[in-house]
């Protein structure tokens, strides 16, 4: 009943997609050539064989490709192009709302400041939005328009050579412990994001924390999240991707997270630390807390399989447990390039592995719209979501005949 054509036709969201993990390969080759970035291969096929593989042996191997993509996104033109193409890649598969996330500090240098980076990405996304809004599909056929938001990512850890901006920060704080440098970078990012949103009207909708969980706890970034919280900037946190339930608990309680990125290890009591006397009970209480408050989990099945080889198969992914517990969880890509995926593919995997029915599919997709950090007024979000639901139900009715 749930065919590939139906999945593609349904309006969808992607609330967890990294700009620097979602370039088109041909674009990466061109941008690298323009900016004199050395690639292991100058062909798309070669890069698929050497870097962006169907499967990876470890998280380290998975992350290696980001050194290349970030290096190729160091100009306003490159950032704008990547954002524009990402928007159209989504539009062309029926995605009508995305929240593009990336770490602005990775792209900043002497000639490219924070405002320049955000302006370039916004310009690319908005150009695609405008073109789609004027297309026959929207004007004549009444399809829902495309909308977007931007999530800025702080990093749990980085090195001086991660970017020119980080190099300067380490130089400025040369007598500070590394964790203090990480903390200051997050705080500066939060300040910049709030200012850029409020003074320049940029569509920055949320603050995120990404990177290595183990050994780099979320609590080190409390001040940045408190600043975001006080200024009504929404919050999401990469948690439960490579560490246990306590990481998710910390994100919710210490950082006021509205959503959780990945959240795979929510149901991994074996990863609880020694301070947790009864891990099974702890996981049960945490699950009920998340369910009761409708804290949405941004699920990335393919990415989790690639970075956690022990999962083995889609059927073993904890999204099935999330469905059983009736959590607010929505399907996302994480990195379209690194994971060779799309929103439609993630939906297909979940439908087949967990034998999702139409009701479960509808709930999962609509959660994405309802729990989005939609920019603008609450009323405008309600109107958009209402139009999406009406269109969704219409597509289902046509499919069922």
């Amino acid at each position: 009943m749930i065919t590939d054509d139906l999945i593609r036709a349904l309006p969808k969201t992607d609330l967890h997609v990294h700009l620097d993990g979602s370039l088109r390969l041909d674009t990466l080759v061109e941008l690298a050539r323009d900016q004199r970035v050395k690639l292991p291969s100058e062909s798309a096929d070669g890069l698929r064989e050497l870097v962006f593989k169907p499967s990876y042996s470890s998280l380290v191997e998975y992350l290696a490709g980001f050194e290349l993509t970030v290096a190729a996104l160091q100009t306003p033109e490159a950032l704008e192009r990547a954002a524009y193409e990402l928007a159209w890649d989504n539009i062309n598969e029926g995605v009508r709302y995305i929240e593009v996330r990336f770490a602005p500090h990775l792209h900043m240098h002497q000639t490219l400041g924070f405002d320049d980076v955000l302006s370039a990405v916004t310009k690319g996304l908005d150009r695609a939005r405008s073109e789609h809004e004027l297309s026959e599909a929207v004007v004549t056929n009444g399809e829902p328009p495309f909308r977007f938001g931007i999530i800025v990512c702080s990093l749990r850890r980085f090195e001086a050579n991660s970017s020119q901006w980080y190099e300067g920060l380490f130089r400025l704080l040369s007598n500070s412990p590394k964790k203090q440098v990480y903390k200051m970078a997050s705080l500066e990012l939060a300040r910049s994001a709030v200012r850029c949103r409020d003074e320049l009207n940029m569509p920055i909708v949320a603050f995120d924390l990404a990177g290595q969980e183990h050994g780099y706890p979320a609590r080190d970034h409390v001040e940045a999240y408190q600043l975001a919280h006080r200024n009504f900037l929404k919050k999401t946190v990469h948690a439960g991707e490579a560490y246990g339930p306590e990481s998710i608990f910390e994100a919710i309680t210490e950082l006021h997270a509205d959503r959780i990125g990945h959240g795979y290890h929510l149901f991994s009591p074996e990863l609880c630390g020694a301070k947790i006397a009864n891990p099974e009970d702890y996981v049960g209480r945490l699950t009920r807390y998340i369910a009761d408050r409708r804290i949405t989990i941004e699920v990335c099945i393919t990415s989790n399989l690639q970075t956690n080889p022990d999962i083995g198969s889609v059927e073993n992914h904890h999204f099935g447990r999330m469905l059983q517990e009736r959590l607010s969880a929505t399907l996302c890509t994480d990195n379209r390039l690194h994971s060779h995926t799309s929103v439609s593919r993630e939906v297909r995997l979940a439908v087949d592995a967990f034998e999702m029915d139409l009701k479960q599919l509808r709930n999962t997709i609509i959660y994405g719209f309802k729990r989005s950090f939609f920019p603008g007024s609450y009323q405008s979000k309600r109107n958009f979501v209402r139009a999406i639901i009406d269109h969704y139900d219409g597509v289902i009715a046509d499919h069922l005949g």
Side-chain angles (χ1 to χ4, degrees), residues 40-330:
S41 172
E42 293 194 358
S43 74
D45 289 340
L47 289 172
R48 288 190 192 95
E49 181 181 351
L50 297 172
V51 184
F52 305 105
K53 305 175 182 180
S55 60
Y56 302 87
S57 60
S58 66
L59 178 59
V60 173
E61 187 180 31
Y62 182 86
L63 296 176
F66 283 101
E67 293 184 13
L68 303 178
T69 58
V70 169
L73 293 173
Q74 296 295 312
T75 68
E77 295 78 15
L79 288 163
E80 180 183 342
R81 178 178 175 180
Y84 172 79
E85 292 179 351
L86 174 57
W88 269 112
D89 288 345
N90 277 276
I91 292 169
N92 288 334
E93 61 154 323
V95 176
R96 288 299 175 262
Y97 181 78
I98 62 174
E99 288 174 356
V100 180
R101 67 182 69 194
F102 66 102
H105 290 162
L106 288 174
H107 307 275
M108 291 167 58
H109 45 78
Q110 287 181 341
T111 60
L112 196 64
F114 185 88
D115 295 2
D116 303 318
V117 170
L118 270 294
S119 178
V121 173
T122 299
K123 187 176 180 181
L125 294 169
D126 199 53
R127 181 154 58 95
R129 177 205 60 76
S130 178
E131 290 175 358
H132 176 252
E133 200 156 293
L134 296 174
S135 68
E136 182 179 355
V138 177
V139 175
T140 305
N141 299 335
E143 289 189 8
F146 171 77
R147 294 289 184 263
F148 65 88
I150 293 174
I151 298 176
V152 295
C153 294
S154 184
L155 301 180
R156 292 177 186 258
R157 64 173 297 272
F158 49 81
E159 302 297 334
N161 62 0
S162 296
S163 77
Q164 200 175 98
W165 190 88
Y166 286 130
E167 181 182 13
L169 185 64
F170 271 111
R171 191 183 308 117
L172 183 65
L173 302 174
S174 59
N175 295 310
S176 301
K178 271 193 171 183
K179 285 198 174 184
Q180 185 68 21
V181 180
Y182 305 153
K183 172 183 174 180
M184 293 305 297
S186 290
L187 192 54
E188 180 64 17
L189 179 62
R191 290 192 183 107
S192 299
V194 170
R195 177 190 56 78
C196 204
R197 179 199 63 182
D198 294 347
E199 296 181 9
L200 302 180
N201 201 32
M202 294 289 181
I204 302 174
V205 296
F207 193 82
D208 181 28
L209 179 63
Q212 185 177 334
E213 284 181 82
H214 187 56
Y216 299 91
R219 73 177 72 94
D220 292 344
H221 303 265
V222 163
E223 288 187 37
Y225 270 82
Q226 285 179 337
L227 190 147
H229 194 58
R230 289 195 302 269
N231 286 276
F232 306 104
L233 186 62
K234 302 292 177 57
K235 290 87 53 193
T236 183
V237 180
H238 280 68
E241 179 183 14
Y243 202 48
E246 290 162 282
S247 179
I248 298 172
F249 177 81
E250 188 176 61
I252 295 170
T253 58
E254 300 285 342
L255 304 189
H256 310 287
D258 301 294
R259 297 198 318 238
I260 294 295
H262 293 284
Y264 171 76
H265 285 301
L266 170 62
F267 301 107
S268 299
E270 69 277 6
L271 295 182
C272 287
K275 292 182 180 179
I276 305 300
N278 188 331
E280 292 285 352
D281 179 67
Y282 181 85
V283 166
R285 289 171 180 268
L286 179 58
T287 300
R288 290 191 293 274
Y289 185 94
I290 289 172
D292 182 63
R293 284 153 182 80
R294 311 313 291 158
I295 296 171
T296 297
I297 300 175
E298 307 154 358
V299 176
C300 308
I301 293 176
T302 300
S303 173
N304 292 156
L305 290 171
Q306 291 172 320
T307 59
N308 294 275
D310 291 343
I311 296 174
S313 67
V314 181
E315 289 78 7
N316 293 334
H317 193 280
H318 288 163
F319 178 65
R321 179 77 179 274
M322 295 176 196
L323 287 175
Q324 293 174 10
E325 300 287 347
R326 302 187 69 177
L327 299 183
S328 174
T330 189

